Each structure stands twice: as structure tokens, then as C-alpha cells.
Amino acid sequence: MHPDVDPAAWRALERAAARLYGVVVNVADGPGSSGPDGAFAAAAGRLRAAGVRLLGYVDTDYATRPVQDAARDVARHREWYGVAGVFFDRAAAGRDRLPYYRRLERAARRGGARTVVLNPGVHPDPAYTSVGDLLVTYEGSWADYTAAAVPGWTAAHSPARFCHLVYGVPGGAAARAVARTASARGAAVHCAVPGTPPNPWQHVPGATAEAA
């Protein structure tokens, strides 16, 4: 959500800084192409000052986007918004696409990314644990999350390597249930929002807003 449209949401994230893994900065399905957006730059600066790790949103189009284009987005995010890491969205999950993400990670690190997050939204091939710092292994609705399964190979890795993103979460009690479920399934990072498609992520997490 643009900071000028919903400034209260951004302020809630500032106040909840200590509880956040990070905030994904997504100006226009990436950093945009015509220079920095002043409102986003100011909001990003306030979050950095509050101690929040910022991750620039980069679409990989399931490993079909040229690496140089994705790397350019990483550089723009860093230059325009001072992000410390990158959130690679629409990531592939098959082992055959792993070399693409290894090249992308190397390019991101060279561009200054200290944190690399991949979002396949499902459990990928186990070899993806060799790429990046955090894997989003669930992105979906609360209704589906309650019945989701976790493959056994995840138990061999630290919970700090996994994240679950859950939308359509109806209130604080359900948000707390997401936290308990994520922990039980070996994911130390989670986000539970009340919004629904097509853009559930225009809302801050319900529990964050309540705590803030």
C-alpha cells in the first residue's frame, strides 16, 4: 500500500519494529523504472531508523526473467530505498531451476544484499536450502493452511530458514493460531493478514496492528 494512501499502516510497522523479520518494499511490482518515489523513500527511511530490515521486492517470473533484469531491480532498490536485502517473488520450486537462483543470489550479494529471501510459496526441492537465507514455503489462505502438510526434510534445518505467509486470517485469535501452527511446523517466520485476493498484502498483520 502506498504510504500516502495508508500512512497509519506504515506507522504501525514502525511501532512494531522489534517484532518484525523485515518489511518488503514493493513500489510497482519492483522498484519502478522512473526514479525513486519520494513517499516510499521517506517511509523506508523511517523504518530503517526504527531498526527494521528492508527487503526490495523483485519478481523472478518462475525463473524466466533474465538475471540481469532482476539484478538491476536489486540495485535500484538499494540505491533508491536503502534496502538491506531482497525478496525474490514468484520463485520456481523445481530442482532444474536451481542454477538460475544460484546465479541470482550471487548477483544480489554482489549488489549489496545482506539478506536473500525466496518465495516459491510451496515447499521446493530440498536443494533450495542452499540458496538464500529464508524460504517462503507456504503462501495461501487460512482455510488451506489449517490442513497443509510439511515434508519431513524440513526438520533437518533451522526454523529460522522458513516462513509462512497466510491471508484471509479472521481476527486476532486466528492470527495467534497461525503463529502457533507455524512454530509447530518448523517455521520461525510468519505473516498473518486479514486481507483476501487479489491483493491480501495491502493490510498489515492483524496481530501487529493490535500490538502497535
Side-chain angles (χ1 to χ4, degrees), residues 108-124:
R109 303 284 190 196
R110 287 195 300 269
R114 294 195 297 273
T115 303
V116 175
V117 180
L118 266 67
N119 179 23
V122 298
H123 286 90

mmCIF file with all atom_site columns, all heavy atoms in Angstrom, residues 108-124:
data_model
loop_
_atom_site.group_PDB
_atom_site.id
_atom_site.type_symbol
_atom_site.label_atom_id
_atom_site.label_alt_id
_atom_site.label_comp_id
_atom_site.label_asym_id
_atom_site.label_entity_id
_atom_site.label_seq_id
_atom_site.pdbx_PDB_ins_code
_atom_site.Cartn_x
_atom_site.Cartn_y
_atom_site.Cartn_z
_atom_site.occupancy
_atom_site.B_iso_or_equiv
_atom_site.pdbx_formal_charge
_atom_site.auth_seq_id
_atom_site.auth_comp_id
_atom_site.auth_asym_id
_atom_site.auth_atom_id
_atom_site.pdbx_PDB_model_num
ATOM 1   N N   . ALA A 1 108 ? 22.752 -10.764 -6.454  1.00 0.00 ? 108 ALA A N   1
ATOM 2   C CA  . ALA A 1 108 ? 22.176 -9.946  -5.385  1.00 0.00 ? 108 ALA A CA  1
ATOM 3   C C   . ALA A 1 108 ? 23.219 -9.642  -4.322  1.00 0.00 ? 108 ALA A C   1
ATOM 4   O O   . ALA A 1 108 ? 23.321 -8.498  -3.832  1.00 0.00 ? 108 ALA A O   1
ATOM 5   C CB  . ALA A 1 108 ? 20.974 -10.655 -4.765  1.00 0.00 ? 108 ALA A CB  1
ATOM 6   N N   . ARG A 1 109 ? 24.014 -10.623 -3.943  1.00 0.00 ? 109 ARG A N   1
ATOM 7   C CA  . ARG A 1 109 ? 25.054 -10.403 -2.933  1.00 0.00 ? 109 ARG A CA  1
ATOM 8   C C   . ARG A 1 109 ? 26.085 -9.389  -3.447  1.00 0.00 ? 109 ARG A C   1
ATOM 9   O O   . ARG A 1 109 ? 26.525 -8.499  -2.702  1.00 0.00 ? 109 ARG A O   1
ATOM 10  C CB  . ARG A 1 109 ? 25.746 -11.708 -2.581  1.00 0.00 ? 109 ARG A CB  1
ATOM 11  C CG  . ARG A 1 109 ? 24.852 -12.823 -2.083  1.00 0.00 ? 109 ARG A CG  1
ATOM 12  C CD  . ARG A 1 109 ? 24.409 -12.629 -0.665  1.00 0.00 ? 109 ARG A CD  1
ATOM 13  N NE  . ARG A 1 109 ? 23.761 -13.840 -0.159  1.00 0.00 ? 109 ARG A NE  1
ATOM 14  C CZ  . ARG A 1 109 ? 23.014 -13.887 0.926   1.00 0.00 ? 109 ARG A CZ  1
ATOM 15  N NH1 . ARG A 1 109 ? 22.793 -12.806 1.643   1.00 0.00 ? 109 ARG A NH1 1
ATOM 16  N NH2 . ARG A 1 109 ? 22.455 -15.022 1.317   1.00 0.00 ? 109 ARG A NH2 1
ATOM 17  N N   . ARG A 1 110 ? 26.454 -9.515  -4.710  1.00 0.00 ? 110 ARG A N   1
ATOM 18  C CA  . ARG A 1 110 ? 27.409 -8.543  -5.282  1.00 0.00 ? 110 ARG A CA  1
ATOM 19  C C   . ARG A 1 110 ? 26.817 -7.140  -5.264  1.00 0.00 ? 110 ARG A C   1
ATOM 20  O O   . ARG A 1 110 ? 27.541 -6.148  -5.145  1.00 0.00 ? 110 ARG A O   1
ATOM 21  C CB  . ARG A 1 110 ? 27.785 -8.940  -6.716  1.00 0.00 ? 110 ARG A CB  1
ATOM 22  C CG  . ARG A 1 110 ? 28.695 -10.146 -6.824  1.00 0.00 ? 110 ARG A CG  1
ATOM 23  C CD  . ARG A 1 110 ? 29.311 -10.253 -8.202  1.00 0.00 ? 110 ARG A CD  1
ATOM 24  N NE  . ARG A 1 110 ? 28.291 -10.393 -9.243  1.00 0.00 ? 110 ARG A NE  1
ATOM 25  C CZ  . ARG A 1 110 ? 27.831 -11.557 -9.692  1.00 0.00 ? 110 ARG A CZ  1
ATOM 26  N NH1 . ARG A 1 110 ? 28.303 -12.701 -9.186  1.00 0.00 ? 110 ARG A NH1 1
ATOM 27  N NH2 . ARG A 1 110 ? 26.911 -11.600 -10.632 1.00 0.00 ? 110 ARG A NH2 1
ATOM 28  N N   . GLY A 1 111 ? 25.484 -7.060  -5.404  1.00 0.00 ? 111 GLY A N   1
ATOM 29  C CA  . GLY A 1 111 ? 24.806 -5.775  -5.381  1.00 0.00 ? 111 GLY A CA  1
ATOM 30  C C   . GLY A 1 111 ? 24.549 -5.239  -3.995  1.00 0.00 ? 111 GLY A C   1
ATOM 31  O O   . GLY A 1 111 ? 23.909 -4.189  -3.858  1.00 0.00 ? 111 GLY A O   1
ATOM 32  N N   . GLY A 1 112 ? 25.020 -5.933  -2.965  1.00 0.00 ? 112 GLY A N   1
ATOM 33  C CA  . GLY A 1 112 ? 24.916 -5.431  -1.612  1.00 0.00 ? 112 GLY A CA  1
ATOM 34  C C   . GLY A 1 112 ? 23.828 -6.031  -0.759  1.00 0.00 ? 112 GLY A C   1
ATOM 35  O O   . GLY A 1 112 ? 23.632 -5.599  0.385   1.00 0.00 ? 112 GLY A O   1
ATOM 36  N N   . ALA A 1 113 ? 23.094 -7.025  -1.270  1.00 0.00 ? 113 ALA A N   1
ATOM 37  C CA  . ALA A 1 113 ? 22.028 -7.640  -0.474  1.00 0.00 ? 113 ALA A CA  1
ATOM 38  C C   . ALA A 1 113 ? 22.615 -8.499  0.631   1.00 0.00 ? 113 ALA A C   1
ATOM 39  O O   . ALA A 1 113 ? 23.343 -9.457  0.366   1.00 0.00 ? 113 ALA A O   1
ATOM 40  C CB  . ALA A 1 113 ? 21.121 -8.482  -1.364  1.00 0.00 ? 113 ALA A CB  1
ATOM 41  N N   . ARG A 1 114 ? 22.295 -8.155  1.878   1.00 0.00 ? 114 ARG A N   1
ATOM 42  C CA  . ARG A 1 114 ? 22.775 -8.946  3.012   1.00 0.00 ? 114 ARG A CA  1
ATOM 43  C C   . ARG A 1 114 ? 21.799 -10.063 3.369   1.00 0.00 ? 114 ARG A C   1
ATOM 44  O O   . ARG A 1 114 ? 22.184 -11.040 4.022   1.00 0.00 ? 114 ARG A O   1
ATOM 45  C CB  . ARG A 1 114 ? 22.993 -8.033  4.226   1.00 0.00 ? 114 ARG A CB  1
ATOM 46  C CG  . ARG A 1 114 ? 24.108 -7.022  4.012   1.00 0.00 ? 114 ARG A CG  1
ATOM 47  C CD  . ARG A 1 114 ? 24.557 -6.379  5.310   1.00 0.00 ? 114 ARG A CD  1
ATOM 48  N NE  . ARG A 1 114 ? 23.502 -5.600  5.943   1.00 0.00 ? 114 ARG A NE  1
ATOM 49  C CZ  . ARG A 1 114 ? 23.257 -4.318  5.677   1.00 0.00 ? 114 ARG A CZ  1
ATOM 50  N NH1 . ARG A 1 114 ? 23.965 -3.690  4.761   1.00 0.00 ? 114 ARG A NH1 1
ATOM 51  N NH2 . ARG A 1 114 ? 22.298 -3.675  6.321   1.00 0.00 ? 114 ARG A NH2 1
ATOM 52  N N   . THR A 1 115 ? 20.525 -9.910  2.989   1.00 0.00 ? 115 THR A N   1
ATOM 53  C CA  . THR A 1 115 ? 19.510 -10.932 3.238   1.00 0.00 ? 115 THR A CA  1
ATOM 54  C C   . THR A 1 115 ? 18.829 -11.273 1.919   1.00 0.00 ? 115 THR A C   1
ATOM 55  O O   . THR A 1 115 ? 18.390 -10.367 1.199   1.00 0.00 ? 115 THR A O   1
ATOM 56  C CB  . THR A 1 115 ? 18.449 -10.441 4.244   1.00 0.00 ? 115 THR A CB  1
ATOM 57  O OG1 . THR A 1 115 ? 19.085 -10.063 5.458   1.00 0.00 ? 115 THR A OG1 1
ATOM 58  C CG2 . THR A 1 115 ? 17.414 -11.525 4.517   1.00 0.00 ? 115 THR A CG2 1
ATOM 59  N N   . VAL A 1 116 ? 18.748 -12.558 1.605   1.00 0.00 ? 116 VAL A N   1
ATOM 60  C CA  . VAL A 1 116 ? 18.093 -13.014 0.381   1.00 0.00 ? 116 VAL A CA  1
ATOM 61  C C   . VAL A 1 116 ? 16.963 -13.957 0.760   1.00 0.00 ? 116 VAL A C   1
ATOM 62  O O   . VAL A 1 116 ? 17.182 -14.981 1.416   1.00 0.00 ? 116 VAL A O   1
ATOM 63  C CB  . VAL A 1 116 ? 19.091 -13.723 -0.558  1.00 0.00 ? 116 VAL A CB  1
ATOM 64  C CG1 . VAL A 1 116 ? 18.362 -14.301 -1.776  1.00 0.00 ? 116 VAL A CG1 1
ATOM 65  C CG2 . VAL A 1 116 ? 20.186 -12.762 -1.004  1.00 0.00 ? 116 VAL A CG2 1
ATOM 66  N N   . VAL A 1 117 ? 15.745 -13.592 0.347   1.00 0.00 ? 117 VAL A N   1
ATOM 67  C CA  . VAL A 1 117 ? 14.553 -14.387 0.616   1.00 0.00 ? 117 VAL A CA  1
ATOM 68  C C   . VAL A 1 117 ? 13.989 -14.873 -0.707  1.00 0.00 ? 117 VAL A C   1
ATOM 69  O O   . VAL A 1 117 ? 13.861 -14.089 -1.657  1.00 0.00 ? 117 VAL A O   1
ATOM 70  C CB  . VAL A 1 117 ? 13.488 -13.563 1.373   1.00 0.00 ? 117 VAL A CB  1
ATOM 71  C CG1 . VAL A 1 117 ? 12.248 -14.406 1.644   1.00 0.00 ? 117 VAL A CG1 1
ATOM 72  C CG2 . VAL A 1 117 ? 14.054 -13.011 2.673   1.00 0.00 ? 117 VAL A CG2 1
ATOM 73  N N   . LEU A 1 118 ? 13.637 -16.157 -0.780  1.00 0.00 ? 118 LEU A N   1
ATOM 74  C CA  . LEU A 1 118 ? 12.977 -16.723 -1.958  1.00 0.00 ? 118 LEU A CA  1
ATOM 75  C C   . LEU A 1 118 ? 11.549 -17.103 -1.591  1.00 0.00 ? 118 LEU A C   1
ATOM 76  O O   . LEU A 1 118 ? 11.320 -17.713 -0.551  1.00 0.00 ? 118 LEU A O   1
ATOM 77  C CB  . LEU A 1 118 ? 13.708 -17.973 -2.458  1.00 0.00 ? 118 LEU A CB  1
ATOM 78  C CG  . LEU A 1 118 ? 14.747 -17.792 -3.568  1.00 0.00 ? 118 LEU A CG  1
ATOM 79  C CD1 . LEU A 1 118 ? 15.936 -16.996 -3.043  1.00 0.00 ? 118 LEU A CD1 1
ATOM 80  C CD2 . LEU A 1 118 ? 15.209 -19.154 -4.088  1.00 0.00 ? 118 LEU A CD2 1
ATOM 81  N N   . ASN A 1 119 ? 10.606 -16.777 -2.475  1.00 0.00 ? 119 ASN A N   1
ATOM 82  C CA  . ASN A 1 119 ? 9.210  -17.105 -2.226  1.00 0.00 ? 119 ASN A CA  1
ATOM 83  C C   . ASN A 1 119 ? 8.633  -17.991 -3.324  1.00 0.00 ? 119 ASN A C   1
ATOM 84  O O   . ASN A 1 119 ? 7.973  -17.510 -4.246  1.00 0.00 ? 119 ASN A O   1
ATOM 85  C CB  . ASN A 1 119 ? 8.359  -15.839 -2.102  1.00 0.00 ? 119 ASN A CB  1
ATOM 86  C CG  . ASN A 1 119 ? 6.889  -16.166 -1.861  1.00 0.00 ? 119 ASN A CG  1
ATOM 87  O OD1 . ASN A 1 119 ? 6.559  -17.245 -1.375  1.00 0.00 ? 119 ASN A OD1 1
ATOM 88  N ND2 . ASN A 1 119 ? 6.002  -15.254 -2.211  1.00 0.00 ? 119 ASN A ND2 1
ATOM 89  N N   . PRO A 1 120 ? 8.849  -19.313 -3.215  1.00 0.00 ? 120 PRO A N   1
ATOM 90  C CA  . PRO A 1 120 ? 8.117  -20.220 -4.100  1.00 0.00 ? 120 PRO A CA  1
ATOM 91  C C   . PRO A 1 120 ? 6.676  -20.427 -3.646  1.00 0.00 ? 120 PRO A C   1
ATOM 92  O O   . PRO A 1 120 ? 5.822  -20.864 -4.406  1.00 0.00 ? 120 PRO A O   1
ATOM 93  C CB  . PRO A 1 120 ? 8.926  -21.524 -4.034  1.00 0.00 ? 120 PRO A CB  1
ATOM 94  C CG  . PRO A 1 120 ? 9.588  -21.467 -2.696  1.00 0.00 ? 120 PRO A CG  1
ATOM 95  C CD  . PRO A 1 120 ? 9.861  -20.010 -2.403  1.00 0.00 ? 120 PRO A CD  1
ATOM 96  N N   . GLY A 1 121 ? 6.405  -20.127 -2.365  1.00 0.00 ? 121 GLY A N   1
ATOM 97  C CA  . GLY A 1 121 ? 5.051  -20.269 -1.830  1.00 0.00 ? 121 GLY A CA  1
ATOM 98  C C   . GLY A 1 121 ? 4.648  -21.693 -1.530  1.00 0.00 ? 121 GLY A C   1
ATOM 99  O O   . GLY A 1 121 ? 3.545  -21.944 -1.029  1.00 0.00 ? 121 GLY A O   1
ATOM 100 N N   . VAL A 1 122 ? 5.536  -22.636 -1.839  1.00 0.00 ? 122 VAL A N   1
ATOM 101 C CA  . VAL A 1 122 ? 5.342  -24.060 -1.557  1.00 0.00 ? 122 VAL A CA  1
ATOM 102 C C   . VAL A 1 122 ? 6.692  -24.604 -1.115  1.00 0.00 ? 122 VAL A C   1
ATOM 103 O O   . VAL A 1 122 ? 7.719  -23.921 -1.216  1.00 0.00 ? 122 VAL A O   1
ATOM 104 C CB  . VAL A 1 122 ? 4.839  -24.831 -2.800  1.00 0.00 ? 122 VAL A CB  1
ATOM 105 C CG1 . VAL A 1 122 ? 3.482  -24.321 -3.255  1.00 0.00 ? 122 VAL A CG1 1
ATOM 106 C CG2 . VAL A 1 122 ? 5.863  -24.743 -3.941  1.00 0.00 ? 122 VAL A CG2 1
ATOM 107 N N   . HIS A 1 123 ? 6.701  -25.829 -0.646  1.00 0.00 ? 123 HIS A N   1
ATOM 108 C CA  . HIS A 1 123 ? 7.985  -26.450 -0.321  1.00 0.00 ? 123 HIS A CA  1
ATOM 109 C C   . HIS A 1 123 ? 8.703  -26.819 -1.619  1.00 0.00 ? 123 HIS A C   1
ATOM 110 O O   . HIS A 1 123 ? 8.206  -27.649 -2.382  1.00 0.00 ? 123 HIS A O   1
ATOM 111 C CB  . HIS A 1 123 ? 7.779  -27.690 0.550   1.00 0.00 ? 123 HIS A CB  1
ATOM 112 C CG  . HIS A 1 123 ? 7.422  -27.352 1.960   1.00 0.00 ? 123 HIS A CG  1
ATOM 113 N ND1 . HIS A 1 123 ? 6.121  -27.198 2.371   1.00 0.00 ? 123 HIS A ND1 1
ATOM 114 C CD2 . HIS A 1 123 ? 8.201  -27.105 3.048   1.00 0.00 ? 123 HIS A CD2 1
ATOM 115 C CE1 . HIS A 1 123 ? 6.106  -26.888 3.656   1.00 0.00 ? 123 HIS A CE1 1
ATOM 116 N NE2 . HIS A 1 123 ? 7.343  -26.816 4.087   1.00 0.00 ? 123 HIS A NE2 1
ATOM 117 N N   . PRO A 1 124 ? 9.851  -26.204 -1.873  1.00 0.00 ? 124 PRO A N   1
ATOM 118 C CA  . PRO A 1 124 ? 10.592 -26.522 -3.091  1.00 0.00 ? 124 PRO A CA  1
ATOM 119 C C   . PRO A 1 124 ? 11.413 -27.781 -2.916  1.00 0.00 ? 124 PRO A C   1
ATOM 120 O O   . PRO A 1 124 ? 11.392 -28.427 -1.863  1.00 0.00 ? 124 PRO A O   1
ATOM 121 C CB  . PRO A 1 124 ? 11.482 -25.293 -3.251  1.00 0.00 ? 124 PRO A CB  1
ATOM 122 C CG  . PRO A 1 124 ? 11.802 -24.915 -1.835  1.00 0.00 ? 124 PRO A CG  1
ATOM 123 C CD  . PRO A 1 124 ? 10.541 -25.213 -1.043  1.00 0.00 ? 124 PRO A CD  1
#
